[in-house]
Amino acid sequence: MPSPGATALDQARSAGKFTPVHGVWWAAAVRAHGDTEGTRALIDVPLLGRHLPHEHIVAGLATALRAGALTADAVALEARKAAQTEDEPAVEVAVPRLAAGSGSASVTFLHEWKLNHLPPDTRPLPSVTHYDQLLRHRRAGGGDLREREAP
């Protein structure tokens, strides 16, 4: 059992939760974002296990990798999508190849997903009638009133 002070990555490795898909995704993230940011993104992935089952995280990694989405947010979103379709039979996830342009995976970006899942806005449109009093009044002759000028 890992010690409480161990890092999330060390805990995942010692628990057998670091799969080949994790390794391939990590390598791609390091190539895309550099060693520090790629590793930081990978460290966020095992932390998803606090809220999502491991098999959904692995499915999210595979889908995000095929689509070239190399952020922990993309993995989280794809893992949640996999959890929503849990009633479908489980499929063994193979380690994807990193050939450019291969695969036809589709990743929904988090902001798009949020916008598509917002409840309808039933509020009335805002009124600007109280601003009308700030507009300049027009003279009967057609010219604008100037400051300090009597109507």
Side-chain angles (χ1 to χ4, degrees):
M1 179 117 185
S3 67
T7 65
L9 183 56
D10 290 337
Q11 290 176 3
R13 281 185 172 143
S14 65
K17 302 261 182 184
F18 191 84
T19 66
V21 175
H22 284 80
V24 174
W25 187 88
W26 184 15
V30 165
R31 277 195 304 279
H33 305 296
D35 191 44
T36 302
E37 291 302 315
T39 301
R40 187 171 291 141
L42 176 72
I43 290 171
D44 289 340
V45 171
L47 295 175
L48 296 173
R50 295 175 177 172
H51 308 287
L52 296 166
H54 177 69
E55 61 272 7
H56 295 150
I57 295 171
V58 173
L61 275 167
T63 303
L65 180 62
R66 282 192 304 269
L70 303 171
T71 65
D73 286 343
V75 174
L77 182 61
E78 292 304 319
R80 287 184 188 107
K81 286 169 58 176
Q84 288 177 346
T85 60
E86 191 173 60
D87 55 356
E88 296 177 10
V91 177
E92 185 66 30
V93 178
V95 177
R97 299 175 194 230
L98 291 177
S102 66
S104 61
S106 171
V107 171
T108 304
F109 290 96
L110 188 57
H111 69 277
E112 291 174 6
W113 186 87
K114 285 180 178 178
L115 288 175
N116 290 331
H117 288 82
L118 287 175
D121 189 359
T122 58
R123 298 176 295 180
L125 289 175
S127 172
V128 293
T129 56
H130 57 280
Y131 290 107
D132 288 343
Q133 66 185 348
L134 300 175
L135 296 175
R136 293 184 180 198
H137 298 282
R138 300 237 176 215
R139 286 187 185 178
D144 286 338
L145 286 178
R146 298 177 196 252
E147 286 186 33
R148 300 183 192 162
E149 194 176 313

